Amino acid sequence: DARVTQTPRDKVTEMGQEVTMRCQPILGHNTVFWYRQTMMQGLELLAYFRNRAPLDDSGMPKDRFSAEMPDATLATLKIQPSEPRDSAVYFCASGPTGAKYNEQFFGPGTRLTVL
Amino acid sequence: QQQVKQSPQSLIVQKEGISIINCAYENTAFDYFPWYQQFPGKGPALLIAIRPDVSEKKEGRFTISFNKSAKQFSLHIMDSQPGDSATYFCAASVGNAGNMLTFGGGTRLMVKP
């Protein structure tokens, strides 16, 4: 049963610390998305990769957030320095290409709390 | 700019009742309209999707109604069950943009026993 995995599942950190979240997309999927979910803002797209190349990161605060895909099996989202307003659930999703309309498969999320 | 507007934000329905969630979009280039279901502590998962060449799609108790002229689409859950209690997101995408989705704000549904 293929699924997207994310680590860690929960992270509590103090303001100013670096946070790294990891995602393993489904094998064979070559699009990867990072979302942030909060009660106030709902699901916000932070970054979007296709074939490991960043296509859209306009939703991401550039001064403190960075997203990369070191290889096809790993996507990372880093926050440095973290701030209390970054507290949210961060989801990674992956999707196949080849069809015009494609489902996004979401991971279980990383719940981040910045104190 | 919120391109997909979803209502209501929350909904309480009695067991066996009909749940209705509405979405409106602005971008006429959208040509794929999925609904995602999210349970607490889980990521969203695709529930049902429609393309604008049909006005309705039904899968079990779940039906999407689509009105292209009004730029609106809705999710109907027939015979709602407590197990349907979850957050529902509508979304939209443009086919030639691959699978990048624009999500609505979400509706938290509670089905009372």
Side-chain angles (χ1 to χ4, degrees), chain B residues 41-100:
Chain B
K42 305 290 186 182
L46 180 66
L47 181 64
I48 186 173
I50 196 169
R51 301 173 191 178
D53 52 345
V54 297
S55 61
E56 186 176 283
K57 183 175 181 179
K58 183 177 181 180
E59 290 184 0
R61 297 183 294 109
F62 300 90
T63 299
I64 301 178
S65 296
F66 183 79
N67 186 329
K68 188 174 183 178
S69 61
K71 294 187 288 185
Q72 295 176 347
F73 58 110
S74 60
L75 176 70
H76 296 236
I77 306 175
M78 312 299 288
D79 186 29
S80 299
Q81 299 296 315
D84 297 329
S85 298
T87 299
Y88 293 82
F89 293 93
C90 63
S93 71
V94 178
N96 61 8
N99 43 5
M100 185 169 167

Short mmCIF file of all heavy atoms in Angstrom, two decimals, chain B residues 41-100:
data_model
loop_
_atom_site.label_atom_id
_atom_site.label_comp_id
_atom_site.label_asym_id
_atom_site.label_seq_id
_atom_site.Cartn_x
_atom_site.Cartn_y
_atom_site.Cartn_z
N GLY B 41 -6.34 14.48 12.41
CA GLY B 41 -5.04 13.84 12.53
C GLY B 41 -4.55 13.16 11.25
O GLY B 41 -3.50 12.53 11.27
N LYS B 42 -5.29 13.32 10.18
CA LYS B 42 -4.92 12.70 8.91
C LYS B 42 -4.77 13.76 7.83
O LYS B 42 -5.23 14.89 7.98
CB LYS B 42 -6.00 11.71 8.47
CG LYS B 42 -6.34 10.64 9.48
CD LYS B 42 -5.23 9.64 9.66
CE LYS B 42 -5.66 8.51 10.57
NZ LYS B 42 -4.56 7.53 10.80
N GLY B 43 -4.13 13.37 6.73
CA GLY B 43 -4.07 14.25 5.59
C GLY B 43 -5.33 14.13 4.75
O GLY B 43 -6.05 13.14 4.83
N PRO B 44 -5.63 15.14 3.95
CA PRO B 44 -6.79 15.05 3.06
C PRO B 44 -6.65 13.89 2.08
O PRO B 44 -5.54 13.54 1.68
CB PRO B 44 -6.77 16.40 2.33
CG PRO B 44 -5.97 17.31 3.20
CD PRO B 44 -4.94 16.43 3.85
N ALA B 45 -7.78 13.33 1.68
CA ALA B 45 -7.79 12.23 0.71
C ALA B 45 -8.89 12.49 -0.31
O ALA B 45 -9.97 12.98 0.04
CB ALA B 45 -8.02 10.90 1.41
N LEU B 46 -8.61 12.17 -1.56
CA LEU B 46 -9.58 12.39 -2.62
C LEU B 46 -10.85 11.58 -2.38
O LEU B 46 -10.80 10.38 -2.12
CB LEU B 46 -8.98 12.02 -3.97
CG LEU B 46 -9.91 12.21 -5.18
CD1 LEU B 46 -10.20 13.69 -5.38
CD2 LEU B 46 -9.29 11.61 -6.44
N LEU B 47 -12.00 12.27 -2.48
CA LEU B 47 -13.29 11.63 -2.26
C LEU B 47 -14.00 11.38 -3.60
O LEU B 47 -14.42 10.27 -3.89
CB LEU B 47 -14.15 12.53 -1.38
CG LEU B 47 -15.53 12.05 -1.00
CD1 LEU B 47 -15.44 10.78 -0.15
CD2 LEU B 47 -16.28 13.15 -0.24
N ILE B 48 -14.10 12.42 -4.39
CA ILE B 48 -14.80 12.34 -5.67
C ILE B 48 -14.40 13.56 -6.50
O ILE B 48 -14.03 14.59 -5.93
CB ILE B 48 -16.34 12.30 -5.44
CG1 ILE B 48 -17.11 12.07 -6.74
CG2 ILE B 48 -16.82 13.55 -4.73
CD1 ILE B 48 -18.62 11.84 -6.51
N ALA B 49 -14.44 13.44 -7.82
CA ALA B 49 -14.04 14.57 -8.66
C ALA B 49 -14.92 14.61 -9.91
O ALA B 49 -15.49 13.59 -10.31
CB ALA B 49 -12.57 14.46 -9.06
N ILE B 50 -15.00 15.81 -10.51
CA ILE B 50 -15.83 15.98 -11.70
C ILE B 50 -15.12 16.87 -12.70
O ILE B 50 -14.30 17.72 -12.31
CB ILE B 50 -17.21 16.57 -11.31
CG1 ILE B 50 -18.23 16.39 -12.45
CG2 ILE B 50 -17.09 18.06 -10.93
CD1 ILE B 50 -19.66 16.71 -12.02
N ARG B 51 -15.41 16.68 -13.95
CA ARG B 51 -14.93 17.56 -15.01
C ARG B 51 -16.13 18.28 -15.60
O ARG B 51 -17.24 17.77 -15.54
CB ARG B 51 -14.19 16.74 -16.07
CG ARG B 51 -13.02 16.01 -15.48
CD ARG B 51 -12.36 15.06 -16.43
NE ARG B 51 -11.42 14.20 -15.72
CZ ARG B 51 -10.71 13.24 -16.30
NH1 ARG B 51 -10.83 13.01 -17.58
NH2 ARG B 51 -9.87 12.51 -15.59
N PRO B 52 -15.94 19.46 -16.19
CA PRO B 52 -17.09 20.29 -16.56
C PRO B 52 -17.91 19.82 -17.74
O PRO B 52 -18.86 20.48 -18.13
CB PRO B 52 -16.44 21.65 -16.85
CG PRO B 52 -15.04 21.34 -17.19
CD PRO B 52 -14.66 20.12 -16.41
N ASP B 53 -17.58 18.67 -18.32
CA ASP B 53 -18.38 18.18 -19.43
C ASP B 53 -19.63 17.42 -18.95
O ASP B 53 -20.46 17.01 -19.77
CB ASP B 53 -17.55 17.30 -20.36
CG ASP B 53 -16.82 16.19 -19.63
OD1 ASP B 53 -16.72 16.26 -18.39
OD2 ASP B 53 -16.34 15.26 -20.30
N VAL B 54 -19.75 17.23 -17.62
CA VAL B 54 -20.94 16.61 -17.06
C VAL B 54 -21.49 17.51 -15.96
O VAL B 54 -20.75 18.30 -15.37
CB VAL B 54 -20.67 15.21 -16.50
CG1 VAL B 54 -20.24 14.26 -17.62
CG2 VAL B 54 -19.63 15.24 -15.42
N SER B 55 -22.77 17.40 -15.68
CA SER B 55 -23.39 18.25 -14.66
C SER B 55 -23.53 17.55 -13.33
O SER B 55 -23.82 18.19 -12.32
CB SER B 55 -24.77 18.71 -15.14
OG SER B 55 -25.62 17.59 -15.35
N GLU B 56 -23.31 16.25 -13.30
CA GLU B 56 -23.46 15.51 -12.06
C GLU B 56 -22.63 14.23 -12.11
O GLU B 56 -22.52 13.58 -13.14
CB GLU B 56 -24.94 15.18 -11.82
CG GLU B 56 -25.23 14.54 -10.48
CD GLU B 56 -26.72 14.33 -10.26
OE1 GLU B 56 -27.43 15.30 -9.94
OE2 GLU B 56 -27.18 13.18 -10.42
N LYS B 57 -22.07 13.90 -10.93
CA LYS B 57 -21.36 12.64 -10.81
C LYS B 57 -21.70 12.04 -9.46
O LYS B 57 -21.66 12.75 -8.44
CB LYS B 57 -19.86 12.83 -10.94
CG LYS B 57 -19.07 11.52 -10.88
CD LYS B 57 -17.61 11.75 -11.14
CE LYS B 57 -16.84 10.43 -11.11
NZ LYS B 57 -15.39 10.63 -11.38
N LYS B 58 -22.02 10.77 -9.46
CA LYS B 58 -22.43 10.11 -8.23
C LYS B 58 -21.56 8.91 -7.96
O LYS B 58 -21.28 8.11 -8.85
CB LYS B 58 -23.90 9.67 -8.35
CG LYS B 58 -24.46 9.05 -7.10
CD LYS B 58 -25.94 8.72 -7.28
CE LYS B 58 -26.53 8.11 -6.02
NZ LYS B 58 -27.97 7.79 -6.17
N GLU B 59 -21.11 8.81 -6.70
CA GLU B 59 -20.37 7.63 -6.26
C GLU B 59 -20.90 7.24 -4.89
O GLU B 59 -20.60 7.89 -3.88
CB GLU B 59 -18.86 7.91 -6.21
CG GLU B 59 -18.21 8.09 -7.57
CD GLU B 59 -16.70 8.27 -7.51
OE1 GLU B 59 -16.13 8.25 -6.40
OE2 GLU B 59 -16.09 8.45 -8.58
N GLY B 60 -21.71 6.20 -4.89
CA GLY B 60 -22.32 5.77 -3.63
C GLY B 60 -23.23 6.86 -3.08
O GLY B 60 -24.11 7.35 -3.77
N ARG B 61 -22.98 7.25 -1.84
CA ARG B 61 -23.81 8.29 -1.21
C ARG B 61 -23.34 9.71 -1.54
O ARG B 61 -23.97 10.67 -1.12
CB ARG B 61 -23.79 8.08 0.30
CG ARG B 61 -24.41 6.77 0.75
CD ARG B 61 -24.45 6.64 2.28
NE ARG B 61 -23.13 6.57 2.87
CZ ARG B 61 -22.56 7.54 3.59
NH1 ARG B 61 -23.22 8.67 3.79
NH2 ARG B 61 -21.38 7.37 4.12
N PHE B 62 -22.25 9.82 -2.27
CA PHE B 62 -21.66 11.13 -2.56
C PHE B 62 -21.94 11.55 -4.00
O PHE B 62 -21.73 10.77 -4.93
CB PHE B 62 -20.14 11.09 -2.33
CG PHE B 62 -19.76 10.74 -0.91
CD1 PHE B 62 -19.56 9.42 -0.54
CD2 PHE B 62 -19.62 11.73 0.05
CE1 PHE B 62 -19.22 9.09 0.76
CE2 PHE B 62 -19.28 11.41 1.36
CZ PHE B 62 -19.07 10.09 1.71
N THR B 63 -22.43 12.78 -4.16
CA THR B 63 -22.76 13.31 -5.48
C THR B 63 -22.18 14.70 -5.63
O THR B 63 -22.30 15.52 -4.72
CB THR B 63 -24.29 13.38 -5.69
OG1 THR B 63 -24.84 12.06 -5.59
CG2 THR B 63 -24.62 13.95 -7.07
N ILE B 64 -21.55 14.97 -6.77
CA ILE B 64 -21.14 16.33 -7.12
C ILE B 64 -22.14 16.85 -8.15
O ILE B 64 -22.41 16.20 -9.16
CB ILE B 64 -19.73 16.40 -7.74
CG1 ILE B 64 -18.68 15.86 -6.80
CG2 ILE B 64 -19.40 17.85 -8.09
CD1 ILE B 64 -17.28 15.88 -7.42
N SER B 65 -22.66 18.05 -7.90
CA SER B 65 -23.47 18.76 -8.88
C SER B 65 -22.66 19.93 -9.39
O SER B 65 -22.04 20.66 -8.60
CB SER B 65 -24.77 19.27 -8.25
OG SER B 65 -25.56 18.17 -7.83
N PHE B 66 -22.64 20.12 -10.71
CA PHE B 66 -21.79 21.15 -11.31
C PHE B 66 -22.62 22.06 -12.19
O PHE B 66 -23.39 21.60 -13.03
CB PHE B 66 -20.69 20.47 -12.13
CG PHE B 66 -19.71 21.44 -12.73
CD1 PHE B 66 -18.69 21.99 -11.96
CD2 PHE B 66 -19.80 21.81 -14.07
CE1 PHE B 66 -17.80 22.89 -12.50
CE2 PHE B 66 -18.91 22.71 -14.61
CZ PHE B 66 -17.90 23.25 -13.83
N ASN B 67 -22.48 23.37 -11.99
CA ASN B 67 -23.19 24.37 -12.78
C ASN B 67 -22.16 25.30 -13.41
O ASN B 67 -21.67 26.23 -12.78
CB ASN B 67 -24.16 25.16 -11.90
CG ASN B 67 -25.04 26.12 -12.69
OD1 ASN B 67 -24.63 26.64 -13.73
ND2 ASN B 67 -26.24 26.35 -12.21
N LYS B 68 -21.84 25.01 -14.66
CA LYS B 68 -20.78 25.75 -15.33
C LYS B 68 -21.13 27.22 -15.52
O LYS B 68 -20.28 28.10 -15.32
CB LYS B 68 -20.47 25.11 -16.68
CG LYS B 68 -19.25 25.67 -17.39
CD LYS B 68 -18.95 24.88 -18.64
CE LYS B 68 -17.69 25.41 -19.32
NZ LYS B 68 -17.35 24.59 -20.51
N SER B 69 -22.36 27.51 -15.88
CA SER B 69 -22.74 28.90 -16.14
C SER B 69 -22.67 29.74 -14.88
O SER B 69 -22.32 30.92 -14.90
CB SER B 69 -24.13 28.97 -16.75
OG SER B 69 -25.09 28.44 -15.87
N ALA B 70 -23.00 29.12 -13.75
CA ALA B 70 -22.95 29.85 -12.48
C ALA B 70 -21.59 29.77 -11.82
O ALA B 70 -21.35 30.43 -10.80
CB ALA B 70 -24.02 29.30 -11.53
N LYS B 71 -20.70 28.99 -12.38
CA LYS B 71 -19.37 28.76 -11.81
C LYS B 71 -19.49 28.29 -10.37
O LYS B 71 -18.85 28.84 -9.45
CB LYS B 71 -18.50 30.01 -11.94
CG LYS B 71 -18.17 30.35 -13.40
CD LYS B 71 -17.18 31.49 -13.52
CE LYS B 71 -17.78 32.81 -13.15
NZ LYS B 71 -16.88 33.95 -13.38
N GLN B 72 -20.32 27.26 -10.19
CA GLN B 72 -20.54 26.71 -8.87
C GLN B 72 -20.57 25.19 -8.94
O GLN B 72 -20.97 24.61 -9.96
CB GLN B 72 -21.86 27.22 -8.28
CG GLN B 72 -21.89 28.72 -8.03
CD GLN B 72 -23.25 29.20 -7.54
OE1 GLN B 72 -24.25 28.48 -7.61
NE2 GLN B 72 -23.30 30.41 -7.02
N PHE B 73 -20.16 24.56 -7.85
CA PHE B 73 -20.30 23.12 -7.74
C PHE B 73 -20.53 22.77 -6.28
O PHE B 73 -20.15 23.54 -5.39
CB PHE B 73 -19.11 22.36 -8.33
CG PHE B 73 -17.77 22.68 -7.75
CD1 PHE B 73 -17.10 21.75 -6.96
CD2 PHE B 73 -17.14 23.89 -8.00
CE1 PHE B 73 -15.85 22.02 -6.44
CE2 PHE B 73 -15.89 24.18 -7.47
CZ PHE B 73 -15.24 23.23 -6.69
N SER B 74 -21.17 21.66 -6.06
CA SER B 74 -21.54 21.31 -4.70
C SER B 74 -21.38 19.81 -4.47
O SER B 74 -21.41 19.01 -5.40
CB SER B 74 -22.97 21.75 -4.39
OG SER B 74 -23.87 21.12 -5.27
N LEU B 75 -21.20 19.48 -3.20
CA LEU B 75 -21.11 18.09 -2.75
C LEU B 75 -22.36 17.78 -1.94
O LEU B 75 -22.70 18.52 -1.02
CB LEU B 75 -19.86 17.88 -1.90
CG LEU B 75 -19.70 16.48 -1.29
CD1 LEU B 75 -19.40 15.45 -2.36
CD2 LEU B 75 -18.59 16.50 -0.23
N HIS B 76 -23.02 16.70 -2.31
CA HIS B 76 -24.18 16.23 -1.55
C HIS B 76 -23.84 14.86 -0.96
O HIS B 76 -23.37 13.97 -1.67
CB HIS B 76 -25.40 16.08 -2.47
CG HIS B 76 -25.88 17.36 -3.06
ND1 HIS B 76 -27.18 17.81 -2.91
CD2 HIS B 76 -25.25 18.31 -3.79
CE1 HIS B 76 -27.33 18.96 -3.54
NE2 HIS B 76 -26.17 19.29 -4.07
N ILE B 77 -24.07 14.74 0.34
CA ILE B 77 -23.88 13.46 1.01
C ILE B 77 -25.25 12.97 1.44
O ILE B 77 -25.88 13.57 2.33
CB ILE B 77 -22.94 13.58 2.23
CG1 ILE B 77 -21.62 14.23 1.82
CG2 ILE B 77 -22.69 12.20 2.83
CD1 ILE B 77 -20.68 14.51 2.99
N MET B 78 -25.72 11.95 0.81
CA MET B 78 -27.02 11.38 1.13
C MET B 78 -26.89 10.43 2.32
O MET B 78 -25.82 9.84 2.53
CB MET B 78 -27.59 10.63 -0.07
CG MET B 78 -27.51 11.39 -1.38
SD MET B 78 -28.44 12.92 -1.34
CE MET B 78 -30.11 12.25 -1.36
N ASP B 79 -27.97 10.29 3.07
CA ASP B 79 -27.96 9.35 4.19
C ASP B 79 -26.70 9.53 5.04
O ASP B 79 -25.94 8.60 5.29
CB ASP B 79 -28.05 7.91 3.65
CG ASP B 79 -28.19 6.87 4.74
OD1 ASP B 79 -28.75 7.20 5.79
OD2 ASP B 79 -27.72 5.73 4.52
N SER B 80 -26.46 10.77 5.46
CA SER B 80 -25.24 11.09 6.21
C SER B 80 -25.12 10.23 7.46
O SER B 80 -26.11 9.96 8.14
CB SER B 80 -25.25 12.57 6.59
OG SER B 80 -25.29 13.39 5.44
N GLN B 81 -23.89 9.80 7.73
CA GLN B 81 -23.61 8.93 8.87
C GLN B 81 -22.57 9.60 9.79
O GLN B 81 -21.75 10.40 9.33
CB GLN B 81 -23.09 7.58 8.40
CG GLN B 81 -24.06 6.81 7.52
CD GLN B 81 -25.33 6.42 8.29
OE1 GLN B 81 -25.25 5.95 9.44
NE2 GLN B 81 -26.49 6.63 7.67
N PRO B 82 -22.57 9.24 11.06
CA PRO B 82 -21.56 9.82 11.98
C PRO B 82 -20.14 9.62 11.46
O PRO B 82 -19.28 10.47 11.68
CB PRO B 82 -21.81 9.05 13.27
CG PRO B 82 -23.27 8.73 13.23
CD PRO B 82 -23.57 8.43 11.79
N GLY B 83 -19.88 8.54 10.75
CA GLY B 83 -18.56 8.29 10.18
C GLY B 83 -18.18 9.25 9.07
O GLY B 83 -17.01 9.30 8.67
N ASP B 84 -19.14 10.03 8.60
CA ASP B 84 -18.86 11.05 7.58
C ASP B 84 -18.35 12.35 8.22
O ASP B 84 -17.95 13.27 7.50
CB ASP B 84 -20.12 11.37 6.77
CG ASP B 84 -20.65 10.19 5.98
OD1 ASP B 84 -19.82 9.35 5.57
OD2 ASP B 84 -21.88 10.09 5.80
N SER B 85 -18.40 12.42 9.54
CA SER B 85 -17.93 13.63 10.22
C SER B 85 -16.45 13.84 9.93
O SER B 85 -15.61 13.00 10.25
CB SER B 85 -18.17 13.50 11.73
OG SER B 85 -19.55 13.37 12.01
N ALA B 86 -16.16 14.94 9.29
CA ALA B 86 -14.81 15.22 8.81
C ALA B 86 -14.81 16.64 8.26
O ALA B 86 -15.84 17.32 8.25
CB ALA B 86 -14.41 14.24 7.70
N THR B 87 -13.66 17.08 7.79
CA THR B 87 -13.57 18.36 7.09
C THR B 87 -13.50 18.07 5.59
O THR B 87 -12.74 17.20 5.16
CB THR B 87 -12.35 19.16 7.54
OG1 THR B 87 -12.46 19.44 8.94
CG2 THR B 87 -12.27 20.50 6.80
N TYR B 88 -14.28 18.79 4.83
CA TYR B 88 -14.35 18.59 3.38
C TYR B 88 -13.81 19.82 2.67
O TYR B 88 -14.16 20.95 3.01
CB TYR B 88 -15.79 18.31 2.95
CG TYR B 88 -16.29 16.98 3.47
CD1 TYR B 88 -16.77 16.87 4.77
CD2 TYR B 88 -16.25 15.84 2.68
CE1 TYR B 88 -17.19 15.64 5.28
CE2 TYR B 88 -16.68 14.61 3.17
CZ TYR B 88 -17.14 14.53 4.47
OH TYR B 88 -17.56 13.30 4.96
N PHE B 89 -12.96 19.59 1.69
CA PHE B 89 -12.37 20.67 0.90
C PHE B 89 -12.77 20.49 -0.56
O PHE B 89 -12.58 19.40 -1.13
CB PHE B 89 -10.85 20.65 0.98
CG PHE B 89 -10.29 20.97 2.33
CD1 PHE B 89 -9.99 19.96 3.24
CD2 PHE B 89 -10.03 22.29 2.70
CE1 PHE B 89 -9.47 20.25 4.49
CE2 PHE B 89 -9.50 22.59 3.95
CZ PHE B 89 -9.22 21.57 4.84
N CYS B 90 -13.26 21.54 -1.17
CA CYS B 90 -13.38 21.52 -2.62
C CYS B 90 -12.08 22.09 -3.20
O CYS B 90 -11.31 22.75 -2.49
CB CYS B 90 -14.58 22.35 -3.09
SG CYS B 90 -14.50 24.11 -2.69
N ALA B 91 -11.84 21.79 -4.44
CA ALA B 91 -10.62 22.28 -5.08
C ALA B 91 -10.87 22.40 -6.58
O ALA B 91 -11.90 21.93 -7.10
CB ALA B 91 -9.45 21.35 -4.80
N ALA B 92 -9.95 23.04 -7.25
CA ALA B 92 -10.06 23.21 -8.70
C ALA B 92 -8.66 23.31 -9.29
O ALA B 92 -7.73 23.75 -8.63
CB ALA B 92 -10.88 24.46 -9.03
N SER B 93 -8.55 22.88 -10.54
CA SER B 93 -7.27 23.01 -11.21
C SER B 93 -7.49 23.22 -12.71
O SER B 93 -8.57 22.98 -13.24
CB SER B 93 -6.40 21.78 -10.99
OG SER B 93 -6.90 20.67 -11.71
N VAL B 94 -6.42 23.69 -13.33
CA VAL B 94 -6.41 23.86 -14.77
C VAL B 94 -5.63 22.70 -15.36
O VAL B 94 -4.52 22.42 -14.92
CB VAL B 94 -5.73 25.19 -15.15
CG1 VAL B 94 -5.66 25.35 -16.67
CG2 VAL B 94 -6.47 26.35 -14.52
N GLY B 95 -6.20 22.03 -16.33
CA GLY B 95 -5.61 20.81 -16.83
C GLY B 95 -4.17 20.94 -17.29
O GLY B 95 -3.32 20.13 -16.97
N ASN B 96 -3.87 22.01 -18.00
CA ASN B 96 -2.51 22.12 -18.52
C ASN B 96 -1.52 22.62 -17.48
O ASN B 96 -0.36 22.85 -17.78
CB ASN B 96 -2.48 23.01 -19.76
CG ASN B 96 -2.95 24.43 -19.47
OD1 ASN B 96 -3.15 24.79 -18.32
ND2 ASN B 96 -3.10 25.22 -20.51
N ALA B 97 -2.01 22.80 -16.24
CA ALA B 97 -1.11 23.16 -15.14
C ALA B 97 -0.74 21.94 -14.33
O ALA B 97 -0.26 22.08 -13.21
CB ALA B 97 -1.77 24.22 -14.25
N GLY B 98 -0.98 20.78 -14.90
CA GLY B 98 -0.64 19.56 -14.18
C GLY B 98 -1.58 19.34 -13.04
O GLY B 98 -2.78 19.56 -13.16
N ASN B 99 -1.07 18.94 -11.88
CA ASN B 99 -1.96 18.64 -10.77
C ASN B 99 -1.86 19.65 -9.63
O ASN B 99 -2.02 19.31 -8.49
CB ASN B 99 -1.76 17.23 -10.26
CG ASN B 99 -0.30 16.85 -10.15
OD1 ASN B 99 0.58 17.66 -10.37
ND2 ASN B 99 -0.05 15.60 -9.83
N MET B 100 -1.63 20.88 -9.95
CA MET B 100 -1.62 21.95 -8.95
C MET B 100 -3.06 22.35 -8.66
O MET B 100 -3.80 22.74 -9.56
CB MET B 100 -0.84 23.14 -9.45
CG MET B 100 -0.66 24.24 -8.46
SD MET B 100 0.53 25.44 -9.06
CE MET B 100 0.26 26.78 -7.92
#
